[in-house]
């Protein structure tokens, strides 16, 4: 399936951007998974640059990132939008802004090995943005019932019978778009939470070709003590509290 039958060239450069606040424990698994995704045969020939934005870190997050071969940018904002934007700026400074695909994930998340190939393949079909889903790391959850409840609510809008699910979710942990679309939409706004939703809304207003797909989910930690307040982790914490009543 292609948008309006307008296939495009496969991007030749990829910027993987990751905001991080005191993530020395989970960041290694995140970066290891990205390294595997970057080595996928389908990504061969594309230059991949990984940038970790270490935001207000008091631990070894930056050292962990550099040891894994990632570039780092430091800031003291405690602001997810500012961190993602800083990582994107650093990546585009290195790669330029022509023919670059920006892939966003989170430091507590693990991407599948075909993640970058999947996004680049969709770009080659003419999609300007790919909005993906997440799956919880059930081993990190304290309650099996919470996992089941979350999945039920998360997929409430999925149509029956295997029909295509144009899901309503937006996650910075699984988001990709062309650098041109990113720049035209104004990039990630400097908001504490919801920067991913704001960017996608800007893309929609600009009439960009957006694919919402559950076909390449990213695994996220599902922790109930999140780094960012009022985000996905807080939602899970509230759900856990309701489930315990």
């Amino acid at each position: 399936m292609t948008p309006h039958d307008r296939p495009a060239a496969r991007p030749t450069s990829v910027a993987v951007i990751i905001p991080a606040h005191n993530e020395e424990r989970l960041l290694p698994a995140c970066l290891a998974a990205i390294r595997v995704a970057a080595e996928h045969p389908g990504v061969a020939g594309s230059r991949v640059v990984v940038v970790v934005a270490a935001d207000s870190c008091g631990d070894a997050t930056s050292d962990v990132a550099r040891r894994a071969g990632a570039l780092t940018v430091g800031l003291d904002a405690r602001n997810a939008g500012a961190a993602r934007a800083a990582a994107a700026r650093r990546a585009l400074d290195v790669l330029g802004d022509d023919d670059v695909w920006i892939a966003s994930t989170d430091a507590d998340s693990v991407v599948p090995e075909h993640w970058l190939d999947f996004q680049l393949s969709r770009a080659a079909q003419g999609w300007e943005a790919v909005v993906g889903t997440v799956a919880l790391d059930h081993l990190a959850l304290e309650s099996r019932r919470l996992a089941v409840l979350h999945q039920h609510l998360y997929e409430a809008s999925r149509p029956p019978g295997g029909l295509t699910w144009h899901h309503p979710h937006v996650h910075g942990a699984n988001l990709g778009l062309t650098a041109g679309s990113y720049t035209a939409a104004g990039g990630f706004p400097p908001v504490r939470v919801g920067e991913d939703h704001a960017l996608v809304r800007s893309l929609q207003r600009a009439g960009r070709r957006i694919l919402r797909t559950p076909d390449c989910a990213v695994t996220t930690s599902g922790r109930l003590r999140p780094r960012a307040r009022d985000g996905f982790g807080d939602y899970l914490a509230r759900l856990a509290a309701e489930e315990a009543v």
Side-chain angles (χ1 to χ4, degrees):
M1 177 177 62
T2 60
H4 313 301
D5 296 321
R6 290 187 289 184
R10 193 179 178 95
T12 58
S13 297
V14 182
V16 181
I17 61 172
I18 309 162
H21 170 64
N22 292 337
E23 293 285 9
E24 64 179 6
R25 187 175 67 86
L26 295 181
L27 185 58
C30 169
L31 294 175
I34 290 170
R35 183 170 60 251
V36 171
E39 294 172 349
H40 189 283
V43 186
S46 295
R47 183 184 180 189
V48 180
V49 169
V50 181
V51 181
V52 174
D55 186 6
S56 307
C57 293
D59 67 355
T61 291
S62 293
D63 293 336
V64 167
R66 285 191 288 266
R67 285 198 298 269
L71 301 178
T72 62
V73 57
L75 68 160
D76 187 17
R78 285 303 305 271
N79 184 293
R84 280 193 214 278
R89 282 195 302 273
R90 179 74 172 97
L92 294 179
D93 284 345
V94 173
L95 296 170
D97 55 8
D98 293 330
D99 202 24
V100 177
W101 182 263
I102 299 172
S104 172
T105 191
D106 286 341
D108 69 333
S109 300
V110 174
V111 304
E113 63 180 14
H114 64 298
W115 184 59
L116 291 178
D117 176 58
F118 179 85
Q119 291 197 4
L120 294 180
S121 296
R122 304 293 87 73
Q125 292 175 345
W127 298 103
E128 295 174 289
V130 176
V131 181
T133 55
V134 297
L136 297 185
D137 179 357
H138 289 185
L139 296 178
L141 290 174
E142 300 172 359
S143 167
R144 171 64 180 167
R145 286 177 58 194
L146 174 60
V148 172
L149 176 59
H150 162 73
Q151 194 70 16
H152 172 73
L153 295 174
Y154 192 79
E155 297 197 354
S157 64
R158 183 189 283 271
L163 297 176
T164 300
W165 183 33
H166 301 290
H167 67 85
H169 307 293
V170 178
H171 303 282
N174 192 5
L175 178 64
L177 70 166
T178 64
S181 295
Y182 176 80
T183 301
F188 288 106
V191 294
R192 191 164 51 89
V193 294
E195 77 288 348
D196 42 8
H197 289 265
L199 176 59
V200 171
R201 286 195 296 269
S202 293
L203 293 170
Q204 290 171 330
R205 287 194 295 269
R208 297 290 174 166
R209 300 185 292 277
I210 303 171
L211 174 64
R212 290 177 174 269
T213 174
D215 289 345
C216 189
V218 167
T219 300
T220 194
S221 67
R223 59 189 172 194
L224 303 184
R225 297 174 182 83
R227 296 292 188 265
R229 306 308 303 175
D230 300 322
F232 186 63
D234 270 354
Y235 160 74
L236 290 177
R238 290 193 298 270
L239 197 62
E242 295 170 2
E243 182 259 349
V245 173

